[in-house]
Amino acid sequence: MKICIIGTGYVGLVTGTCLADFGFSVTCVDQDKNKISLLNSGGVPIYETNLPPLIEKNISAGRLTFTTDLEKAVKESKVIFIAVGTPPNHDGSADLQQIEKVTQQIAVSLKDYKGYKVIVNKSTVPIGTARKIKQIIQEYQNKTDKNAPFSIIARSEATKQSHPSSVIPAKAGIHPAYPSPLRVEGRVKVKYFFDIVSNPEFLREGSAVYDFTHPDKIVIGSTSPKALKIMQEIYRPLYLIDTPFVITNPETAELIKYACNAFLATKITFINEIANLCDKVGADVHQIAKAMGLDGRISPKFLHPGPGYGGSCFPKDTEALYHFASTCGYDFKLLKGVISANKLQREIMIEKIKHHIGDLKGKTIAILGLAFKQNTDDIRKSPAVDIIQLLLKEGVHVRCFDPLAMDNTKKILPNLTYCQDEYETARGSDALVITAEWNQFRNLDLSKIKKSLKSLILLDLRNLYEPATLKSLGFIYEGVGRR
Ligand code: NAD
């Protein structure tokens, strides 16, 4: 089976490579010529553990190719995955322009096609987007053929089951779940069959290949038995390792993705709030998180306090869900609280720094960690970047280091002092602030750090160190919810 993935970013590249490794013939498409030529010359545009050898293996096996030619890839593939960006608009809603553009491109590419295709949306999108994708393709088909003797529309495989003939009454609609947007009188002829599937992705950057091949679940939103069968064939290797499948309608699948991310963001924010309270009363958040995590109903995951969640997903997805709920007339108060508490968490970190250094103007601060978390070069909505921007406003000179994210950070913050390693970063600084949980920051040579720093202040915003150990070495130490 031939598959194409449109959008060769974190999700598209990992999905395409892993599906090629499952044995399918996969074409990854991107409009970014530089990205495609880098991939075609053996490079990998993102950092992701275990991804480069898997790409190389599948290119060599002839199962994985990269192109900017969307039309050709769509025409040749039975299944078309959409994995483009859904960034936030100014009001927090999801910007669906990339999805809409790709959908139109797919519709144009399929103009003269007569067979059946499955169009799978993997991007995180508001509820109703699968329906919108379907409408766009149908409207395009209708527009293209308005002069034809019969009005011609695309027709879902799901409909075929309830209307076995290839000519159906226009007023019948497409499927109960997808009322036809078209108002065509008379009879309509089927041009080609297609189904839209919502298949949200749950991988985490930094462990994306492992997550894709060992997922907790696969969610497939479709009402078409034919499309479901094809999706099950695609994910068959995961059936063999007993991955649970949640088969549902597209709207539910779309909401599952937002519900998961909003819940995890809430859990992080909850433990941050408990940590802030610990700071006021002298309790230790680690012991609280440990005790909470031992409760099987809670689980220990996502109970690590810090500077607030970041990255390309949680901030935008919480905002998008809040905004979407508002447009449905529902005030999602809990989520509103989570979003504002998370923003405030960055400022609370600045207050911590000020508490130890005093007036920040003219001070030099060493920042360890720029990526939004360890094992990635992604700095989208990174807490470190937000904290640096707040420090710069206060007149601070920032020295910094990150094992992978320096090049990306230089593009948006060119005026920082970028250092070779942790020790050069600390040199001459008024404080050292750990902002990302890279493993190599867990075992710093503290005597070397001590010699490099101007003042022995260490603010550990990821709680990597034991307060008592650091204090015994002469540091002024503070974590988040423990000191
Ligand atoms: P990304 O920005 O890394 O990649 C998107 C790619 O799509 C870019 O390379 C862009 O050039 C390409 N693109 C956009 N329009 C195109 C077009 N018309 N034709 C061809 N290519 C086009 O995005 P990402 O991080 O991979 O996220 C993609 C989607 O998956 C988003 O909705 C995101 O919320 C969701 N998601 C992301 C993650 C993650 O960890 N990054 C995890 C789960 C879900």
Side-chain angles (χ1 to χ4, degrees):
M1 178 163 24
K2 282 198 170 180
I3 294 174
C4 83
I5 319 277
I6 306 177
T8 309
Y10 285 87
V11 169
L13 184 56
V14 171
T15 301
T17 306
C18 292
L19 292 182
D21 208 50
F22 288 177
F24 297 106
S25 168
V26 178
T27 305
C28 288
V29 183
D30 207 285
Q31 64 187 6
D32 183 337
K33 290 191 183 96
N34 293 334
K35 198 177 264 192
I36 293 301
S37 57
L38 178 69
L39 283 158
N40 279 329
S41 58
V44 180
I46 54 168
Y47 175 83
E48 196 54 62
T49 315
N50 298 331
L51 187 60
L54 209 60
I55 292 177
E56 202 183 314
K57 174 184 159 197
N58 285 284
I59 291 176
S60 306
R63 290 188 296 259
L64 183 61
T65 54
F66 301 99
T67 183
T68 53
D69 190 344
L70 183 146
E71 185 171 341
K72 184 165 181 277
V74 165
K75 278 190 172 137
E76 287 175 357
S77 303
K78 181 162 188 178
V79 182
I80 300 148
F81 280 85
I82 300 175
V84 296
T86 47
N89 283 314
H90 287 305
D91 62 0
S93 61
D95 176 352
L96 294 180
Q97 284 183 66
Q98 293 181 37
I99 295 276
E100 284 164 11
K101 185 178 163 199
V102 166
T103 305
Q104 280 157 6
Q105 288 173 302
I106 294 171
V108 172
S109 308
L110 293 178
K111 196 155 52 87
D112 302 316
Y113 186 74
K114 301 274 185 304
Y116 172 76
K117 304 263 187 198
V118 183
I119 300 163
V120 185
N121 178 45
K122 249 198 180 313
S123 298
T124 305
V125 290
I127 296 81
T129 303
R131 197 162 47 221
K132 198 168 176 178
I133 292 173
K134 186 163 199 152
Q135 283 176 1
I136 291 172
I137 297 177
Q138 287 172 339
E139 277 162 14
Y140 180 83
Q141 292 268 301
N142 193 38
K143 211 174 354 174
T144 317
D145 297 308
K146 65 176 180 290
N147 297 325
F150 287 93
S151 297
I152 298 173
I153 62 166
R155 179 179 165 216
S156 160
E157 193 62 26
T159 323
K160 203 170 107 188
Q161 307 224 330
S162 48
H163 301 279
S165 104
S166 64
V167 178
I168 57 168
K171 278 186 172 170
I174 297 301
H175 183 272
Y178 305 117
S180 169
L182 303 172
R183 295 285 175 271
V184 186
E185 294 302 321
R187 286 147 64 84
V188 291
K189 254 188 199 166
V190 170
K191 187 168 188 188
Y192 66 85
F193 302 125
F194 70 95
D195 278 307
I196 309 292
V197 173
S198 171
N199 173 219
E201 182 50 57
F202 299 93
L203 60 76
R204 295 162 302 172
E205 286 177 24
S207 53
V209 171
Y210 180 84
D211 289 349
F212 191 91
T213 50
H214 299 79
D216 293 331
K217 60 192 173 291
I218 293 288
V219 175
I220 300 177
S222 172
T223 46
S224 156
K226 184 166 181 177
L228 282 176
K229 211 168 156 221
I230 290 171
M231 292 306 289
Q232 282 164 342
E233 192 185 332
I234 290 174
Y235 286 117
R236 205 170 61 86
L238 302 181
Y239 267 105
L240 302 178
I241 54 166
D242 284 338
T243 303
F245 279 64
V246 179
I247 312 283
T248 182
N249 62 33
E251 289 79 3
T252 308
E254 288 164 344
L255 189 49
I256 285 171
K257 173 64 191 177
Y258 276 125
C260 288
N261 276 3
F263 185 79
L264 294 173
T266 303
K267 203 171 170 189
I268 293 169
T269 307
F270 183 86
I271 201 66
N272 284 342
E273 298 267 71
I274 294 288
N276 297 343
L277 192 54
C278 286
D279 280 339
K280 295 211 177 292
V281 299
D284 183 334
V285 74
H286 265 202
Q287 290 178 10
I288 295 172
K290 185 176 176 192
M292 285 175 70
L294 289 170
D295 186 325
R297 295 166 301 177
I298 296 175
S299 116
K301 290 182 179 168
F302 286 78
L303 284 180
H304 304 287
Y309 60 77
S312 69
C313 292
F314 288 176
K316 86 171 168 65
D317 293 348
T318 45
E319 295 263 8
L321 180 57
Y322 177 75
H323 186 275
F324 180 78
S326 307
T327 61
C328 300
Y330 184 70
D331 183 15
F332 202 148
K333 295 185 197 67
L334 175 63
L335 202 51
K336 193 179 188 173
V338 167
I339 293 165
S340 68
N342 193 62
K343 283 185 184 142
L344 196 62
Q345 193 68 7
R346 311 285 205 255
E347 285 163 31
I348 291 172
M349 300 300 109
I350 299 293
E351 290 310 313
K352 263 183 197 296
I353 300 171
K354 276 187 183 164
H355 174 74
H356 291 286
I357 302 184
D359 184 12
L360 294 177
K361 198 166 169 37
K363 298 281 169 33
T364 299
I365 294 187
I367 299 281
L368 293 187
L370 298 168
F372 82 92
K373 62 172 187 178
Q374 65 166 336
N375 293 336
T376 180
D377 59 354
D378 196 344
I379 56 160
R380 290 180 280 184
K381 296 280 174 196
S382 161
V385 171
D386 288 347
I387 287 169
I388 289 171
Q389 276 165 336
L390 290 171
L391 290 173
L392 293 176
K393 272 194 202 151
E394 300 270 351
V396 166
H397 172 64
V398 174
R399 298 171 67 79
C400 62
F401 170 73
D402 186 283
L404 286 174
M406 307 250 270
D407 288 344
N408 283 341
T409 313
K410 278 177 196 168
K411 289 177 200 156
I412 56 163
L413 292 169
N415 296 326
L416 311 181
T417 303
Y418 291 89
C419 302
Q420 296 284 340
D421 60 22
E422 297 86 340
Y423 309 100
E424 189 194 330
T425 312
R427 197 173 301 150
S429 297
D430 294 288
L432 181 72
V433 182
I434 301 177
T435 42
E437 68 278 42
W438 285 94
N439 274 343
Q440 68 190 72
F441 299 162
R442 291 173 197 272
N443 287 303
L444 294 173
D445 181 339
L446 293 168
S447 59
K448 249 172 116 177
I449 291 285
K450 230 174 138 173
K451 279 187 204 138
S452 302
L453 279 172
K454 191 155 92 187
S455 322
L456 290 189
I457 300 172
L458 200 156
L459 294 161
D460 180 4
L461 307 188
R462 297 290 184 169
N463 288 355
L464 303 186
Y465 286 92
E466 275 305 317
T469 314
L470 270 283
K471 283 177 191 169
S472 71
L473 292 170
F475 283 92
I476 296 171
Y477 173 90
E478 189 173 338
V480 182
R482 62 197 312 242
R483 42 179 104 199

